[in-house]
Every structure is written in C-alpha cells, then in structure tokens.
C-alpha cells in the first residue's frame, strides 16, 4: 500500500532567549508562503470546538501561544491529531485539508498566519461537500 504523506507538518519558529522567549516567524524561512493576514483568538468559550471547515486555496500556520489545544487534520481519507502547547511550534495547514480545534479553554490563545486576506468564498464548511470534492479530484 502506498505510504500516505504525513498530514501533520510542524513548523518550528526561531527561538531567542532574551529575558523572555521570543519566537520569530519570517516569510520564506519558517513560513512557506507570504503572510498576508494574522489573526488570533483569546477569551475562548471553554470546550467549544472550532474550525470544522477547509479552504480551497488558503494556506495557514496555526500556533497555540498560550495554553493548549488539540488540532485535528483530515484529508478526506484519514485523520491525524496533535496537541499544540508550545508557542514556538505551529501546524502547517494546506488547502483542502479539513481541520478542527478541540480542548480549547479560556486561557488558550491561538495565533494564525495566513497566505491571504479573509475570503468567505474560499471556505467549505460542509464535510460532505469537502469529501465529494476530494473524491472527485482523485478520479
Ligand atoms: P472561522 O474562520 O469560521 O473561525 P474558526 O475556524 O476559528 O471556527 O471564523 C469565525 C467567524 O469570523 C466567521 O463568521 C468569519 C469571521 N472571520 C472574519 O471575518 N475574518 C477573518 O479573518 C476570520 C478568520 C474570520
């Protein structure tokens, strides 16, 4: 059987100890796309999962810069998960990979770097629609 490429690809930021932990992300170094948008989530409602969508073209790197959360990735055929709890380590999310974030609590701070501005038309929010597109692309 053909070996599937690992779904979870980690990004390790440059770490500088300067009376703090400084983490540096640069386009073309740790981040494999031009960063056009950064967004973050604070004061999350506890135990409310997020995500549950995929993007047609957008690339993103997800960080948990405080606390922890579980990140689940799904390519339509298999799922992989990892715990994010280190501010210097992110998960690279390619287009057409379904993602979910679980076990978020109110202290969790997520920070996301994205390859494009917010475009609602780039979202696929129904798993069945995502799965259909993945299956069609394999034909
Ligand atoms: P969404 O991407 O669905 O969040 P999550 O994946 O964390 O569950 O976004 C939640 C809402 O915020 C949705 O109505 C779209 C809006 N939003 C913007 O307006 N701009 C943005 O850059 C982002 C990421 C979301």
């Amino acid at each position: 059987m053909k070996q599937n490429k690992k779904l979870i690809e980690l990004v390790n930021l440059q770490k500088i100890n300067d009376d703090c932990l400084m983490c540096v992300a640069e386009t073309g170094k740790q981040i494999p796309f031009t960063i056009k948008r950064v967004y973050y989530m604070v004061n999350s409602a506890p135990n409310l999962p997020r995500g549950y969508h995929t993007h047609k073209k957008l690339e993103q790197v997800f960080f948990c810069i405080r606390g922890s959360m579980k990140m689940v990735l799904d390519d339509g055929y298999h799922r992989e998960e990892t715990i994010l709890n280190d501010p210097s380590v992110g998960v690279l999310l390619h287009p057409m990979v379904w993602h979910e974030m679980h076990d978020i609590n109110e202290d969790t701070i997520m920070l996301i770097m994205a390859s494009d501005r917010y475009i609602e038309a780039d979202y696929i929010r129904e798993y069945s629609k995502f799965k259909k597109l993945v299956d069609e692309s394999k034909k």
Side-chain angles (χ1 to χ4, degrees), residues 67-91:
S68 71
M69 66 176 186
K70 182 165 78 181
M71 186 99 202
V72 179
L73 269 48
D74 180 332
D75 65 2
Y77 296 102
H78 67 288
R79 287 164 78 87
E80 285 181 18
E81 60 183 55
T82 191
I83 305 287
L84 273 182
N85 58 9
D86 179 335
S88 71
V89 179
V91 168

Side-chain angles (χ1 to χ4, degrees), residues 37 39 41 49-53 55 60 62 99 101 110 117-118 120 123 125:
R37 176 170 49 121
Y39 60 97
M41 278 91 100
R50 303 196 62 96
Y52 289 86
H53 62 258
H55 289 276
Q60 301 187 94
F62 279 72
H99 65 285
M101 291 89 87
M110 284 171 265
R117 297 187 175 91
Y118 171 72
E120 179 58 35
Y123 280 72
R125 295 188 184 274

